[in-house]
Amino acid sequence: MASTSLLPKTISPFLSTPRSVPIHFTKPSLFNTLDHLPCTRKPCIHTYAKKKNQWLDPFDDGEDPDMEYGSLFVDGKQEEDLRPPDDPDNPYGFLKFPMGYNVEIASLASKIRGDVRRCCCIISGGVYENLLFFPIIQLIKDRYPGVQVDMVAGERGKQTYELNKNVRWANVYDPDDEWPEPADYTDMVGLLKNRYYDLILSTKLAGLGHAAFMFMTSARDRVSYIYPNVNAAGAGLLLSETFTPDSLNLAEGGYNMYHQMAEWLGRPFRNVPRQPVPPLKVSISRKLKAVVEAKYRTAGAEKGKYIVFHGIESDSKASMRSRGDTDSLLPLEKWAYVFDAVRGFKPVFVIPHEKERENVEEIVADDISIVFITTPGQLAALINDSAGVISTNTAAIQLAIAREKPCIALFSTEEKGKLFIPNAEEKNCTIVSSQTGKLKDIDVGAVENAMQIFVMSLALI
């Protein structure tokens, strides 16, 4: 009797299932109809939209295509928030509430529908990378009417946003700093958290650390590029949407380096067609134009009668070159030959540092016009009053195209020229590339032949 009691007991009948009854597992839903009853002969197969993020919920099959929306979830673009703030002096316009209590910033319908009232963009890189993000900012403004866009960039990148009227605030914080000061780190997290962003975008390749930084801002949607290798492990758990670039350097993609983010932001959604990416445009203030006009007049140049030379070889951070093109600065000895080939216009050399003035006067010419400009806003104003631009692969080329000025772009290879300036002929830009793959070996004769573009543009005016 004792030995029999030690034997394992049989499984209770309510846990056992008869073999004749098939077992079916179906996804529970509050909206099941008679068409979605479990099948008895063959398994049911449902097709759903793409998952938002495969790391968040492995059992999430995306949005239910049979979901019906009522009046709270109307189709089309969001409407602008016409409600005036209670306190006109408060940029946030918070409602009055007792101390110690928080308020609901957005309605439930707005959250489910995906409206974006406040957006923050964290941009990695310098002037060039921030300048090429301008079309994405305009895309956000067109896709979400009434949205307020703020920027977070490095010291050099922040200067770019004096040329963008769509940006509300621009804060200095270097996202590329691997070891930021703890005080600056926590201060920026608190600053972004207190602004209650609906959407936060980042062009920095995110690992677990940067993803945690975005997660602590408490933004509803967190969208970022991630590393294309094992360094991205864990980042997807803290982000709403991720993009994997082709290389570790996003700037190697050229003009369309943000094409993945642009495609996601402009996606069609509930009777909203795909939002096209607008061209690069910059706006210049009157005060900026007046300051720059005084500079080039002092240098002996007249409005519309000079050509801007940009891209001299220098170790200054104000060179405004792209991270995706390391060979994009030309020695002064080569610029001297280009200077001698100019006819009918006055060359104006842009120097990124005052220490370069003596070198330019010694190598090129003594009576040459030299303008010291380091900010992208002043460079854009100088290009706006010029007859054209001759530059290497720096921000000057993109600014000339944005202001519809004829330009000659000097590249080390033809492939890089097509990558950074697609459809150059339509943009009134001539690409001159080196035959050896090195910028210093560029043919000055080809540059001289390309200068006909300035004479033709002047004749059309």
Side-chain angles (χ1 to χ4, degrees):
M1 294 296 294
S3 59
T4 8
S5 61
L6 295 177
L7 293 175
K9 298 182 179 180
T10 58
I11 302 176
S12 56
F14 75 91
L15 292 177
S16 60
T17 306
R19 295 184 180 179
S20 60
V21 181
I23 302 175
H24 297 281
F25 295 97
T26 57
K27 181 178 180 179
S29 174
L30 296 177
F31 302 95
N32 282 343
T33 59
L34 294 176
D35 298 334
H36 297 82
L37 291 177
C39 302
T40 55
R41 295 183 180 180
K42 58 181 180 179
C44 296
I45 301 175
H46 299 283
T47 58
Y48 295 95
K50 175 183 176 292
K51 297 181 181 181
K52 292 182 62 177
N53 191 336
Q54 60 180 353
W55 292 98
L56 297 180
D57 185 1
F59 302 101
D60 181 16
D61 293 326
E63 185 179 356
D64 192 346
D66 299 325
M67 178 78 73
E68 295 183 1
Y69 298 94
S71 59
L72 292 178
F73 316 107
V74 294
D75 293 337
K77 293 184 179 181
Q78 68 181 28
E79 297 178 356
E80 294 191 26
D81 191 2
L82 302 178
R83 183 189 65 175
D86 287 358
D87 185 4
D89 298 329
N90 189 344
Y92 300 100
F94 285 161
L95 300 175
K96 300 180 180 66
F97 57 95
M99 185 180 298
Y101 291 86
N102 204 345
V103 293
E104 186 67 29
I105 302 301
S107 63
L108 179 61
S110 173
K111 182 176 180 180
I112 296 178
R113 190 173 53 192
D115 290 355
V116 178
R117 301 296 180 187
R118 295 186 181 95
C119 174
C120 179
C121 304
I122 304 174
I123 310 301
S124 170
V127 171
Y128 207 113
E129 288 75 23
N130 282 267
L131 188 64
L132 292 185
F133 197 78
F134 279 22
I136 310 298
I137 298 175
Q138 186 62 51
L139 172 63
I140 296 173
K141 296 288 289 187
D142 296 339
R143 177 61 180 82
Y144 302 102
V147 65
Q148 295 175 335
V149 181
D150 299 337
M151 308 302 299
V152 175
E155 294 179 354
R156 293 289 304 159
K158 190 256 185 183
Q159 295 178 340
T160 315
Y161 296 101
E162 65 178 340
L163 298 172
N164 197 314
K165 61 182 180 180
N166 292 324
V167 173
R168 180 179 62 158
W169 295 325
N171 296 94
V172 175
Y173 178 80
D174 189 6
D176 300 317
D177 189 3
E178 299 294 339
W179 303 100
E181 291 292 333
D184 297 338
Y185 183 89
T186 54
D187 181 68
M188 184 53 62
V189 170
L191 181 69
L192 300 182
K193 184 180 178 66
N194 291 336
R195 290 179 180 174
Y196 298 94
Y197 288 115
D198 300 313
L199 174 65
I200 183 168
L201 305 172
S202 176
T203 63
K204 173 182 168 58
L205 301 187
L208 184 58
H210 187 61
F213 174 83
M214 298 179 63
F215 182 80
M216 287 187 289
T217 61
S218 300
R220 186 191 68 207
D221 297 326
R222 300 168 298 277
V223 181
S224 176
Y225 285 89
I226 59 174
Y227 282 99
N229 50 31
V230 295
N231 292 322
L237 295 172
L238 306 177
L239 299 173
S240 306
E241 186 74 23
T242 59
F243 311 113
T244 305
D246 299 328
S247 64
L248 292 174
N249 188 2
L250 197 65
E252 291 179 354
Y255 181 82
N256 297 316
M257 64 174 71
Y258 306 119
H259 69 95
Q260 292 172 306
M261 183 173 288
E263 183 178 358
W264 181 82
L265 288 170
R267 66 196 184 280
F269 181 72
R270 292 182 194 162
N271 292 339
V272 177
R274 173 166 292 280
Q275 194 73 38
V277 182
L280 173 63
K281 295 293 181 183
V282 296
S283 53
I284 309 171
S285 64
R286 294 180 181 177
K287 184 180 294 185
L288 198 56
K289 290 180 180 179
V291 171
V292 174
E293 185 177 0
K295 284 191 174 185
Y296 69 72
R297 286 190 180 277
T298 305
E302 296 182 14
K303 183 176 181 179
K305 297 182 180 180
Y306 64 89
I307 296 177
V308 177
F309 282 36
H310 193 268
I312 67 173
E313 193 173 34
S314 174
D315 57 354
S316 174
K317 293 183 179 179
S319 59
M320 303 187 196
R321 61 179 179 177
S322 172
R323 290 186 175 184
D325 189 2
T326 55
D327 187 14
S328 59
L329 297 178
L330 198 63
L332 280 173
E333 291 78 10
K334 211 69 176 180
W335 279 116
Y337 292 110
V338 179
F339 168 79
D340 295 335
V342 177
R343 299 290 184 271
F345 297 95
K346 189 174 186 63
V348 174
F349 271 79
V350 177
I351 56 174
H353 199 280
E354 278 291 352
K355 66 180 182 180
E356 302 293 343
R357 183 182 296 272
E358 185 178 350
N359 297 333
V360 174
E361 293 176 349
E362 180 181 354
I363 297 176
V364 182
D366 295 336
D367 57 344
I368 190 172
S369 297
I370 302 174
V371 179
F372 171 51
I373 284 179
T374 59
T375 65
Q378 293 182 7
L379 180 60
L382 182 68
I383 292 173
N384 186 62
D385 290 348
S386 70
V389 176
I390 301 177
S391 173
T392 59
N393 188 18
T394 63
I397 288 295
Q398 303 298 340
L399 290 173
I401 295 174
R403 300 306 298 180
E404 299 179 353
K405 293 290 181 178
C407 56
I408 299 176
L410 311 181
F411 283 89
S412 58
T413 61
E414 187 178 357
E415 291 74 16
K416 284 187 178 179
K418 295 180 179 179
L419 195 63
F420 282 88
I421 310 179
N423 304 322
E425 295 181 358
E426 300 177 2
K427 300 175 182 178
N428 201 11
C429 177
T430 302
I431 297 177
V432 179
S433 58
S434 174
Q435 301 298 325
T436 63
K438 296 181 180 180
L439 186 62
K440 64 180 181 180
D441 298 331
I442 199 164
D443 185 12
V444 180
V447 179
E448 185 177 359
N449 295 333
M451 290 185 186
Q452 298 297 325
I453 191 174
F454 302 129
V455 180
M456 294 173 59
S457 300
L458 191 62
L460 293 174
I461 295 176

